[in-house]
Amino acid sequence: MTDHDLDDEQQLDGAAGTADFDAFFAEESATRPRQSLTLYGRDYQLPESLPLLFTLQMERVQHSSNADDVRKMLATLYGGDVLDVWADHGMTDRQLGVVLIYSAANIRNPGSCTMQRAAELYAEQEAGKAPGANRAARRAKKPKKGRNSGKRS
């Protein structure tokens, strides 16, 4: 055990009161860098970490076509009714995807993802969702080579 470990242990023994996570998280939050972005002339400051509500809503939204679900999810990151504002400006689903990828990456590690990289990641994600050949084409039997295939007669 090092002296540092003993100091930590002594601090724990001396602080047998209530652990104040409100103060701890507030102090920690104040020191973490935050990413900003501008979209449709409005500035947004991303939170210092992904809100739990966003993560939970993201799971729900994947299988929902309800605009209210998307609206709630976006409000946890950007505030207000940004879905309506962005939709009124003509945002596409691709643009929304790029903004979400950019935001999630830069919330985790501010400055880690450019807009261009977010667009590339979105394209890769979409390419992974591309439907394969249609069912009939996949199931079409390819002619089998006979025994004499490749031999001269």
Side-chain angles (χ1 to χ4, degrees):
M1 198 176 257
T2 67
D3 289 339
H4 182 66
D5 292 335
L6 290 174
D7 289 341
D8 287 345
E9 195 171 298
Q10 288 171 348
Q11 287 177 352
L12 290 175
D13 289 341
T18 302
D20 187 351
F21 275 98
D22 292 335
F24 174 74
F25 290 144
E27 181 180 322
E28 185 182 55
S29 173
T31 61
R32 289 190 52 146
R34 295 172 74 172
Q35 184 75 35
S36 296
L37 63 94
T38 301
L39 185 58
Y40 301 119
R42 183 168 172 202
D43 294 325
Y44 299 93
Q45 186 170 30
L46 298 174
E48 77 282 350
S49 61
L50 277 176
L52 179 58
L53 184 58
F54 176 83
T55 305
L56 295 172
Q57 285 293 112
M58 191 67 166
E59 286 295 316
R60 183 176 180 192
V61 167
Q62 285 180 352
H63 307 290
S64 173
S65 58
N66 187 337
D68 286 336
D69 291 338
V70 177
R71 197 172 275 112
K72 287 177 191 173
M73 179 193 71
L74 293 176
T76 63
L77 289 187
Y78 310 102
D81 53 354
V82 296
L83 178 62
D84 298 318
V85 172
W86 294 352
D88 288 345
H89 279 92
M91 178 179 262
T92 66
D93 62 338
R94 177 189 173 280
Q95 291 169 336
L96 177 60
V98 171
V99 168
L100 288 175
I101 289 171
Y102 174 88
S103 297
N106 285 297
I107 288 170
R108 289 185 186 102
N109 188 10
S112 66
C113 184
T114 65
M115 290 177 283
Q116 180 61 41
R117 181 64 182 141
E120 291 167 1
L121 291 169
Y122 180 83
E124 290 172 14
Q125 181 181 351
E126 286 301 299
K129 292 181 184 178
N134 72 33
R135 188 175 187 184
R138 287 192 312 266
R139 292 182 176 216
K141 293 184 179 181
K142 295 182 179 167
K144 293 184 181 180
K145 295 182 178 181
R147 288 185 179 208
N148 294 333
S149 178
K151 293 184 182 177
R152 291 186 179 192
S153 321

